[in-house]
Amino acid sequence: MKISIRRSRRAAVAVALGSVLALTATACGDDGSSTGDKGDDGSGTGKIVFWDNNGGVRTDIWKEVIADFEKANPKIDVEYVGIPSTDYQSKVDTAIQADSLPDVGGVGAAMLAGFSAQGALEPLDNRLAKSSLNGKLNEDMVESLTAAGGGDGRLYSIPTSANNGVLYYRTDLFKKAGLDEPATWDKFYEAADKLTDAGKNEFGYTIRGGAGSIAQALDAMYGQSGLTSFWNGDKTTVNDPKNVEALEKYAALFKKDTPAADLNNDFTKMVAQWDSGTIGMLNHNLGSYQDHVKALGVEKFRGIPQPTGADGKRVQVSNPVDGIGLFKSSKNKDAAWKFIEFALSHAENSKFNESAGQVPANNEAAQDAWISKAEPTKLAAAALTDGSTSIVQLPYYLPDWGTISKADNEPNFQKVLLGKMSAKDFLDTLADQLNEAQAEWKSQNG
């Protein structure tokens, strides 16, 4: 099954690329009528369509940015389309094959390689070099998106923010139980156990067992094992014995120190459960900070960087970088680029990230006063720049990464939680798929 799923993904890409080539060959005068064509710069005015890759969660703030943009650019109208993050990749993949892409849309690191491999994205290096944004964006974020683009060294998405992983914990519950802050993995497990009283529906932790579970599991694994590289030569380290041991310990929390409902929880359900219940700890990212403030108030919780090992060192998987891409089929690229430039300006990028609670990509925005007031964002930014944290870079550049880390293995991780599959078998299966994908990628990219 795992092979057939991956092959079907590749087949879909091949069909899409084949359709693009066929349409390009038959297009009259190369008028940009298909996804594979170059589109057109357009007049720089008129209507553009923007797809938000986190619709619902970020709808309100994007509508504010759009309103500001339309006020500053009265000859451009932006149609907003909000798409839930769980549906976004499949929505774009379908639109690529149907030649129905928008002008501009959210394109984060995790999905970048898949879209660029299908020829759907416009390279943005030259536009950025001539832009007022040149030199004003966080270099690490730009490099992350460049590396995630598929190996050709081009930049296909302009970074908007870094959405760092955070360990949120209930300070009121910790104080009542006489527990120290869960700043180390030992203290994390101690708190998870001590705060659990299943009879009273009180649990120490909520684990992500549904959509998006693999990234959180990898974060816990590498954080405990202390391994700092995803690859050892051409082979992945995911099934290293230290990672196997770490996953066994982490998965053992399920139903012992976590609710049974966690098996199917995606981030929306997990966050809502934590905000409304009596659960001690939650791993998520900076994006849910404002939800916790609204639900609990700042006095009942803290958000700190991932726990450190006994040696005081912190290891975490890739710092997720989100961004905005320009789709190649757009007939109004100049207007779409104006929107990207505006959204990444100091004022707008600051406004967006203050609402989202994320680290801004615009360097001037990252110096604004609100950063110091939003403690999790301040701590996350410091952890990324003070030398205390090692980042394990996930292979976003692999076209198969999205499928491997979602459809192929999320059901298997649930089997691990239920005790129907060992952590070693799960990680060996994951490693086999990753090694195959890496070998294929290298053969195609020299």
Side-chain angles (χ1 to χ4, degrees):
M1 177 62 69
K2 67 180 182 181
I3 299 300
S4 65
I5 291 174
R6 290 183 57 216
R7 284 178 179 165
S8 67
R9 165 69 174 166
R10 291 197 196 103
V13 172
V15 169
L17 290 173
S19 298
V20 165
L21 292 171
L23 286 167
T24 302
T26 58
C28 180
D30 191 26
D31 65 358
S33 61
S34 74
T35 303
D37 287 325
K38 296 180 179 179
D40 195 275
D41 286 341
S43 65
T45 61
K47 176 184 173 181
I48 59 172
V49 178
F50 167 65
W51 282 9
D52 175 10
N53 61 338
N54 202 0
V57 178
R58 300 283 172 257
T59 295
D60 289 345
I61 185 58
W62 270 121
K63 286 188 173 180
E64 284 189 38
V65 172
I66 289 170
D68 291 345
F69 174 75
E70 291 180 336
K71 183 177 181 180
N73 298 270
K75 294 184 179 181
I76 303 176
D77 294 319
V78 181
E79 178 184 334
Y80 169 88
V81 179
I83 301 170
S85 60
T86 52
D87 300 334
Y88 191 76
Q89 181 163 330
S90 62
K91 178 81 170 178
V92 174
D93 283 339
T94 300
I96 290 171
Q97 296 183 51
D99 296 328
S100 57
L101 286 165
D103 298 280
V104 62
V107 183
M111 61 187 73
L112 186 52
F115 297 163
S116 64
Q118 297 178 74
L121 294 168
E122 179 87 355
L124 298 174
D125 312 73
N126 291 337
R127 288 183 185 269
L128 180 60
K130 299 174 184 177
S131 167
S132 59
L133 295 175
N134 189 30
K136 294 185 178 180
L137 300 179
N138 182 288
E139 289 185 6
D140 289 337
M141 295 188 201
V142 173
E143 289 176 5
S144 291
L145 289 186
T146 301
D152 64 359
R154 305 300 299 274
L155 180 66
Y156 291 99
S157 181
I158 303 298
T160 56
S161 53
N163 198 9
N164 208 43
V166 177
L167 178 61
Y168 293 104
Y169 74 98
R170 289 283 298 270
T171 51
D172 55 342
L173 300 182
F174 270 69
K175 182 177 181 181
K176 183 178 179 181
L179 289 165
D180 294 331
E181 179 176 272
T184 68
W185 283 104
D186 286 343
K187 291 187 181 298
F188 166 82
Y189 282 107
E190 177 190 0
D193 189 60
K194 191 168 183 179
L195 291 172
T196 297
D197 187 340
K200 295 182 180 178
N201 201 35
E202 297 173 353
F203 297 95
Y205 184 61
T206 175
I207 199 168
R208 189 166 182 169
S213 60
I214 303 303
Q216 182 171 303
L218 291 173
D219 222 6
M221 284 163 42
Y222 281 93
Q224 294 174 80
S225 72
L227 297 171
T228 57
S229 177
F230 197 80
W231 300 102
N232 182 9
D234 291 333
K235 302 297 182 183
T236 181
T237 59
V238 293
N239 60 339
D240 183 282
K242 292 181 180 179
N243 275 336
V244 173
E245 181 182 359
L247 185 60
E248 288 172 343
K249 188 172 184 179
Y250 182 70
L253 292 170
F254 178 64
K255 288 182 69 174
K256 181 175 80 72
D257 294 326
T258 79
D262 283 357
L263 182 68
N264 296 304
N265 276 0
D266 58 13
F267 86 91
T268 304
K269 294 175 183 175
M270 189 174 62
V271 166
Q273 177 179 264
W274 193 72
D275 285 345
S276 62
T278 52
I279 298 174
M281 295 177 291
L282 161 76
N283 269 118
H284 193 231
N285 54 47
L286 293 167
S288 60
Y289 173 66
Q290 293 297 340
D291 294 325
H292 308 322
V293 172
K294 292 175 184 176
L296 301 169
V298 294
E299 70 281 355
K300 287 187 178 181
F301 80 98
R302 285 192 76 199
I304 61 174
Q306 291 285 64
T308 64
D311 59 2
K313 296 180 180 178
R314 179 183 299 105
V315 178
Q316 66 182 58
V317 299
S318 306
N319 183 36
V321 178
D322 205 1
I324 309 178
L326 174 58
F327 289 103
K328 190 179 290 185
S329 57
S330 171
K331 308 302 186 296
N332 205 352
K333 291 179 185 176
D334 284 351
W337 175 251
K338 286 179 183 178
F339 176 69
I340 293 175
E341 275 189 309
F342 186 86
L344 267 296
S345 66
H346 177 180
E348 298 301 320
N349 191 236
S350 184
K351 176 189 290 188
F352 176 86
N353 283 290
E354 182 175 11
S355 173
Q358 298 173 172
V359 180
N362 185 295
N363 290 325
E364 293 174 328
Q367 302 301 315
D368 285 351
W370 67 265
I371 294 282
S372 297
K373 298 175 183 177
E375 186 186 37
T377 305
K378 177 183 178 181
L379 294 176
L384 292 173
T385 57
D386 65 7
S388 66
T389 303
S390 296
I391 302 294
V392 177
Q393 294 292 346
L394 295 179
Y396 292 128
Y397 58 85
L398 294 176
D400 282 329
W401 170 251
T403 302
I404 291 172
S405 63
K406 294 182 183 297
D408 278 12
N409 287 290
E410 285 178 351
N412 282 345
F413 182 65
Q414 290 180 321
K415 292 178 182 178
V416 174
L417 295 180
L418 293 170
K420 296 180 179 180
M421 187 177 195
S422 71
K424 185 178 186 304
D425 286 347
F426 167 73
L427 292 176
D428 283 345
T429 299
L430 178 60
D432 287 344
Q433 294 170 330
L434 288 165
N435 291 337
E436 180 187 345
Q438 176 77 346
E440 182 176 338
W441 181 83
K442 280 200 166 186
S443 71
Q444 295 174 349
N445 292 274

